[in-house]
């Protein structure tokens, strides 16, 4: 559902999360930064390749044989490597940095899947492979302007959205109750946390960061539904009587944050 430039997405856990679309200005700024960084990398690659090629050709001239086709092969290999670097730059950072590149990080935007989950390797590869198509004659720009979800061709094929990062005010540390901290110390012994994936944690974290913007009724309904599904996933029998579903989700956040700090 679209409201202004915001979308409410329903995750596979049936939890509704609201995101603000990145906007054309932020995306152009991010791409400009990324192309500057990528340009420096490609220039470095060109310098190294020229030096290595000169050394190789100099060596071959001392040998007997016909090596006239070598320069063409070197050029072909160079172009393949260049394309690999171009594609690999976006794939590496978007997977490693949870949907962000250096440019996106500066612009405070990130790529997510259509269901709000973090972007994966498949989505990052598809977006990156189709980026040259989007860049030709600014085709991607026209698709962003004409598509209500502001998707370029790469986003349409990969099933992704580019959204704004949470404002600084919403990125402060999530406040967790003392009951949640106590439960967090017990969970590793009383449940199977190995079944909790980064995607599951991303949904928990997104809910905890956005819960204050929900109505009291929605907050109770969503937290209970999410807590029940996660509880079954990690085989945690019953939430202690003196704790709420909010405490349970906060405890999971604390445990997973400690285990995988790169996700916070």
């Amino acid at each position: 559902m679209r409201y202004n430039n915001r979308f409410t997405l329903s995750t596979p856990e049936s939890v509704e999360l609201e995101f603000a679309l990145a906007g054309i200005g932020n995306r152009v700024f991010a791409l400009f930064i990324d192309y500057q960084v990528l340009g420096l990398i490609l220039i470095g690659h060109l310098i190294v390749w020229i030096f290595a090629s000169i050394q190789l050709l100099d060596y071959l001239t001392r040998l007997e044989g016909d090596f006239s086709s070598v320069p063409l092969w070197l050029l072909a290999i160079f172009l393949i490597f260049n394309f690999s670097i171009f594609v690999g730059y976006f794939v590496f950072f978007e997977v490693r940095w949870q949907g962000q590149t250096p440019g996106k990080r500066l612009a405070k935007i990130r790529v997510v899947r259509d269901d709000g989950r973090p972007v994966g390797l498949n989505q990052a590869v598809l977006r990156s492979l189709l980026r040259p198509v989007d860049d030709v004659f600014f085709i991607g720009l026209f698709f962003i302007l004409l598509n209500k979800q502001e998707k370029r061709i790469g986003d349409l094929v990969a099933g992704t959205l580019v959204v704004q990062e949470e404002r600084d005010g919403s990125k402060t540390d999530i406040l967790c109750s003392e009951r949640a901290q106590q439960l967090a110390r017990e969970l590793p012994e009383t449940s199977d946390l190995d079944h909790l994936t980064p995607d599951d944690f991303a949904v928990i974290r997104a809910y905890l960061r956005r819960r204050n913007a929900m109505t009291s009724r929605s907050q109770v309904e969503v937290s209970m539904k999410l807590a029940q599904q996660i509880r079954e996933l990690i085989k945690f029998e019953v939430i202690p009587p003196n704790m709420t579903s909010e405490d349970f989700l906060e405890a999971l956040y604390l445990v997973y944050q400690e285990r995988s700090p790169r996700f916070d």
Side-chain angles (χ1 to χ4, degrees):
M1 179 180 68
R2 191 181 192 199
Y3 182 71
N4 292 334
N5 66 333
R6 304 186 72 85
F7 268 82
T8 299
L9 305 176
S10 180
T11 71
E13 292 82 5
S14 299
V15 177
E16 290 190 344
L17 301 175
E18 187 180 57
F19 294 90
L21 296 176
I24 188 66
N26 287 331
R27 295 182 69 166
V28 170
F29 172 74
L31 189 60
F32 174 77
I33 298 298
D34 283 328
Y35 277 170
Q36 301 306 305
V37 177
L38 185 57
L40 292 175
I41 295 174
L42 292 176
I43 289 173
H45 173 241
L46 174 62
I47 294 173
V48 172
W49 191 263
I50 290 175
F51 176 79
S53 298
I54 291 175
Q55 297 298 315
L56 176 62
L57 292 174
D58 182 60
Y59 171 75
L60 292 177
T61 55
R62 302 173 190 171
L63 303 178
E64 294 182 0
D66 181 15
F67 299 105
S68 59
S69 63
V70 171
L72 289 177
W73 278 104
L74 289 175
L75 177 60
I77 296 172
F78 170 76
L79 293 176
I80 293 173
F81 279 6
N82 249 25
F83 183 74
S84 299
I85 292 172
F86 177 87
V87 172
Y89 171 88
F90 293 97
V91 172
F92 173 81
F93 282 111
E94 288 182 359
V95 173
R96 184 74 176 177
W97 285 2
Q98 299 277 294
Q100 289 187 312
T101 59
K104 290 185 178 69
R105 180 163 288 190
L106 286 175
K108 299 187 184 302
I109 61 178
R110 72 171 61 244
V111 183
V112 298
R113 301 185 206 178
D114 282 343
D115 60 4
R117 290 178 180 271
V119 67
L121 178 61
N122 291 340
Q123 292 79 28
V125 170
L126 285 173
R127 295 184 82 256
S128 191
L129 286 174
L130 289 169
R131 186 174 295 278
V133 178
D134 282 309
D135 288 348
V136 174
F137 301 119
F138 304 103
I139 292 176
L141 177 62
F142 287 110
F143 269 82
I144 292 173
L145 293 174
L146 298 176
N147 188 287
K148 68 178 183 179
Q149 294 182 332
E150 299 181 2
K151 292 187 173 193
R152 62 178 178 85
I153 296 175
D155 291 315
L156 291 169
V157 174
T160 55
L161 287 167
V162 183
V163 299
Q164 291 181 8
E165 184 68 286
E166 290 123 331
R167 300 295 182 184
D168 292 341
S170 64
K171 288 196 67 176
T172 56
D173 292 337
I174 294 172
L175 297 179
C176 300
S177 66
E178 292 183 5
R179 297 187 300 274
Q181 296 176 27
Q182 176 185 349
L183 182 58
R185 292 190 288 269
E186 301 172 359
L187 276 176
E189 304 296 330
T190 58
S191 60
D192 189 358
L193 295 175
D194 290 337
H195 287 88
L196 189 64
T197 67
D199 284 355
D200 296 321
F201 171 70
V203 173
I204 294 172
R205 180 184 59 182
Y207 163 72
L208 292 175
R209 283 180 171 168
R210 291 174 169 83
R211 58 182 170 177
N212 292 334
M214 299 179 178
T215 63
S216 298
R217 181 177 179 180
S218 297
Q219 189 172 337
V220 171
E221 291 178 352
V222 172
S223 65
M224 290 182 64
K225 182 185 297 183
L226 183 57
Q228 180 181 0
Q229 293 176 351
I230 297 298
R231 182 167 57 81
E232 294 174 355
L233 179 66
I234 65 174
K235 300 177 181 179
F236 186 73
E237 305 246 341
V238 180
I239 298 177
N242 62 330
M243 295 187 182
T244 66
S245 56
E246 293 273 329
D247 296 326
F248 176 65
L249 295 175
E250 290 172 1
L252 287 169
Y253 170 80
L254 291 172
V255 171
Y256 204 89
Q257 182 190 38
E258 183 178 352
R259 287 187 166 196
S260 306
R262 73 183 181 88
F263 286 103
D264 192 42

